Amino acid sequence: MTTTATTATTAATTTAGEDVATLAERAHRVRERVLEMGAGETGTHLGGSLSAADLLTVLYGSVLRVDPDRPDWPDRDRFVLSKGHAGAALYAVLAEYGFIPSEECADYAKAGSRLAAHPLRRVEGVEFPTGSLGHGLSLAAGAALAARRLGRPSRAFALLGDGELQEGSVWEAVMGAAHHKLDNLVAVVDRNGWQISGTTEECLSLEPLADRWRSFGWAVREVDGHDLPALLAVFDGLPDPEGRPTVVLARTVKGRGVPMLEDRKKSHFVKLTPKLHVRALAGLRNRRERQQ
């Protein structure tokens, strides 16, 4: 197997370059799968999974250089789900893009299943086990630095929750990545404004968030995390021409797509009863029909 930049571009076409309409339809299916997992035996972190669905779909559909037929391809981009509690959304996206069988999502969080509540390395497409918040950006920074030293074209992306930014280890990684000028590193913040105990600003304020990242030497992009064309434009503009790591601050809505869950603290973790599952799915589909 060759390990050149040309190979990277070729393999990228297996999952990348989708148009907005296709991405929107895929994101809708991802949300349906997430709701199915939320209606399982254990429930799941619905709010943060739904807020991240568009971000993950755009990344896997049009940004990441990955190949589901070769999940361990050496020149692939590395994606780290730092907010590991949104594992249901990642599994739904991996199923959508052929890394795992879609029917396997029905085994989510069951005894003996590979699909644990927080993602594990034994699942194709999962680079690192995550769940302890505040660690994912360090892992991605290490992957970016290793790619540079090995002369590989690989990039590293980390999706972080905004409440997670209250962890000191995040800012150590931010500082280290800027020092090493890792322009092959992208942090994406799912800025839905909530954490388990309430709003981020009530628990430990983060604003002015963009200025904080800039002060550490990062390039900052701010975007509506549910605006697919805007997301495509932001990611198309990377890497930063000044050789800096980039953070994409994506403003999102917790529970996006399901009216009864949107922007509500109680959507953080939900076990949907059969009746609530039907109601949530109907709300999601009605919203989708109005948008078409």
Side-chain angles (χ1 to χ4, degrees):
M1 181 187 303
T2 59
T3 56
T4 65
T6 301
T7 305
T9 302
T10 301
T13 62
T14 62
T15 58
E18 295 180 334
D19 60 30
V20 171
T22 301
L23 290 170
E25 188 56 37
R26 286 188 184 273
H28 175 77
R29 288 199 295 267
V30 165
R31 287 188 166 93
E32 288 197 346
R33 286 196 183 99
V34 168
L35 290 179
E36 289 171 4
M37 286 182 259
E41 296 177 358
T42 63
T44 192
H45 290 85
L46 281 180
S49 292
L50 293 170
S51 67
D54 295 313
L55 297 170
L56 287 166
T57 302
V58 168
L59 284 169
Y60 277 86
S62 290
V63 179
L64 295 174
R65 294 193 296 255
V66 291
D67 185 345
D69 293 326
R70 294 184 295 160
D72 293 326
W73 168 46
D75 285 350
R76 70 191 182 280
D77 288 340
R78 269 62 172 183
F79 173 77
V80 181
L81 182 69
S82 191
K83 48 174 288 180
H85 52 286
L90 178 59
Y91 298 145
V93 169
L94 291 176
E96 183 66 27
Y97 286 100
F99 285 86
I100 63 175
S102 59
E103 57 269 20
E104 189 174 4
C105 290
D107 295 331
Y108 172 78
K110 291 181 179 179
S113 170
R114 298 190 305 162
L115 306 188
H118 290 178
L120 300 174
R121 182 68 180 88
R122 63 189 181 213
V123 179
E124 292 85 358
V126 174
E127 298 289 349
F128 298 98
T130 55
S132 297
L133 296 177
H135 296 173
L137 186 58
S138 293
L139 295 170
L145 184 60
R148 172 186 290 176
R149 292 183 173 178
L150 292 171
R152 296 192 181 279
S154 305
R155 303 168 299 170
F157 293 76
L159 178 60
L160 299 92
D162 48 3
E164 182 179 5
L165 301 185
Q166 295 160 354
E167 297 277 358
S169 54
V170 171
W171 298 100
E172 294 180 55
V174 170
M175 181 169 58
H179 173 78
H180 290 288
K181 302 185 185 302
L182 297 179
D183 61 355
N184 60 338
L185 173 65
V186 180
V188 183
V189 177
D190 182 6
R191 185 71 169 114
N192 64 38
W194 289 93
Q195 56 195 92
I196 190 170
S197 302
T199 70
T200 57
E201 301 315 287
E202 290 171 340
C203 295
L204 186 62
S205 59
L206 296 171
E207 297 297 340
L209 188 54
D211 289 342
R212 291 185 179 189
W213 284 85
R214 290 190 186 99
S215 72
F216 278 84
W218 282 57
V220 177
R221 306 286 186 269
E222 298 185 73
V223 66
D224 180 338
H226 303 303
D227 185 332
L228 300 182
L231 286 170
L232 290 171
V234 163
F235 287 117
D236 191 53
L238 302 179
D240 176 66
E242 296 183 22
R244 300 173 294 180
T246 297
V247 60
V248 177
L249 301 178
R251 299 180 302 277
T252 61
V253 177
K254 197 175 185 78
R256 174 73 173 195
V258 181
M260 71 180 193
L261 298 175
E262 286 188 341
D263 201 30
R264 305 185 71 172
K265 176 183 174 181
K266 72 175 186 178
S267 73
H268 187 81
F269 187 94
V270 181
K271 181 179 179 180
L272 292 171
T273 64
K275 183 177 180 179
L276 286 177
H277 182 213
V278 170
R279 180 182 169 192
L281 198 56
L284 176 66
R285 290 173 177 173
N286 288 339
R287 174 73 63 81
R288 176 68 179 138
E289 290 175 1
R290 290 197 302 269
Q291 291 174 340
Q292 289 179 324

